[in-house]
Amino acid sequence: MPKEPLSPARAWEKATFFSIDTNLIQAAGYNFTQGALHQLPKQLPESIGLQLPEIVVSEIVKHRMNSVHKAHSQLRNSADELKRLTAIDTLMVRDSIDQLNTIEVATQRFTEEVHDYALQCRGAVLPTAGADAAASLFADYFAERPPFGLSQKKKCEFPDAMCLWLLEQYAKENDTIGIIASDDKGWKQYAERSDRLYCVESIDELARLFAATNEHAKAIKEKIAAAIADAGSPLGSALIEKINRHVANSQWDTSDIYTSSSYRVESEFYDADVAAYSIEGDVNVWSVKGEPTTWVVELKVSITVDVHISVEFFAWDWIDKEELSLGSQSFTTQNGVDVDVYLTCSDVYLETPLRDWITEIEIADGNYSIERFEVEIDYGDSE
């Protein structure tokens, strides 16, 4: 008999823990101090806490360390290259790099950040089980039960299987149900046959289960929606300013820019402005527990951005066998991005005007890729 679907009412009544798969934490930029991950402890009730399998912690740290290892290697290689080119002894530089102890320090820091986040979410990290899990996991492996599939990569799914087994055991031992957030097909299929685990596909879907829907909340939503619809209102103006600052301070990958008019180009982002924006969908609100006059508000904002890029063109000198710069030019291209905007409103009273509320606006730092487009050199306009 299929289990009862997870409605918001059932989530409030029965669930006492949640967990998040590595892929969603990665999609959130491993950012525990901004955006969706940062807001989650305030959006969820005090009765539900994060239980994060130790394997997820290890995967997060491993993914984050990839860039650290690369940068550390480049730093050491640069010192070696400098010595090769100049015959200058760079041993002091190498010793200084080693004294930084970068790999160990970064690994410890990233690990502590995840453990601290689990505590912030009123939860903990679940230690990896030993032999007790082996029989169950191997039985599922050979029977090709979720999260194991029919592909040839079942061995790669063992970390997922252990995570789900740990969460299932935690739910059984505590006679409760849990919500797992993952867009992985195997996690969803596992939850469908579990009596104690439910799966949602995003952090946003998890938070929406606990959004406030009473009359007071509806009145707050209406007041917020009216204010942000008016670009001339204090909140509307503050929102536009925040969005403009967000797109200008974000990282923009320009690697897909190409040319057919020269040998090669190098492109660099230097500025961005908001050409247009719109609020998409409904406004969601959450009452912060223990703070009856504080509310979290989430907006989905679709932005059209004018991205300004500096492009340097190069030609190849076949005689001297070297590149020659043909000059730089500026280009502007439009890109669309979607962002989650969070408002934390304090001193909220319906009888007072919204300008008297204390409102903080948060948008997580963005990393965007400029859509592929071709640039052509204008020889009359080159610097």
Side-chain angles (χ1 to χ4, degrees), residues 325-344:
S325 175
L326 300 175
S328 298
Q329 292 175 210
S330 296
F331 296 86
T332 297
T333 181
Q334 279 199 343
N335 278 239
V337 299
D338 296 322
V339 300
D340 292 329
V341 179
Y342 295 94
L343 314 179
T344 300

Side-chain angles (χ1 to χ4, degrees), residues 271-282:
D271 200 7
D273 349 272
V274 174
Y277 78 94
S278 60
I279 309 299
E280 303 295 327
D282 197 11

Side-chain angles (χ1 to χ4, degrees), residues 102-240:
T102 306
I103 302 302
E104 184 176 337
V105 170
T107 299
Q108 182 177 348
R109 181 174 298 173
F110 293 158
T111 303
E112 288 175 353
E113 284 180 0
V114 186
H115 280 260
D116 289 345
Y117 181 70
L119 289 174
Q120 185 185 350
C121 292
R122 303 171 292 277
V125 172
L126 290 174
T128 302
D132 290 346
S136 175
L137 296 187
F138 275 104
D140 287 346
Y141 171 77
F142 289 113
E144 296 178 338
R145 288 191 288 265
F148 300 109
L150 297 174
S151 72
Q152 299 301 312
K153 298 181 179 180
K154 293 196 294 295
K155 293 179 182 178
C156 299
E157 294 163 342
F158 263 98
D160 286 344
M162 177 60 83
C163 289
L164 292 163
W165 187 89
L166 285 169
L167 294 168
E168 181 90 17
Q169 294 306 305
Y170 179 87
K172 288 179 179 178
E173 291 169 5
N174 292 274
D175 192 22
T176 186
I177 67 171
I179 307 168
I180 52 178
S182 175
D183 59 5
D184 184 274
K185 184 178 179 181
W187 284 54
K188 182 179 180 180
Q189 290 175 337
Y190 185 96
E192 287 173 350
R193 70 182 185 90
S194 169
D195 294 330
R196 296 185 176 273
L197 297 179
Y198 292 84
C199 187
V200 294
E201 294 186 355
S202 66
I203 296 172
D204 187 56
E205 187 179 346
L206 169 64
R208 283 202 309 268
L209 284 169
F210 301 95
T213 57
N214 56 32
E215 291 303 316
H216 188 62
K218 290 178 182 177
I220 290 172
K221 288 169 63 172
E222 291 173 0
K223 207 162 186 175
I224 292 285
I228 59 177
D230 179 6
S233 71
L235 182 57
S237 299
L239 178 61
I240 293 172

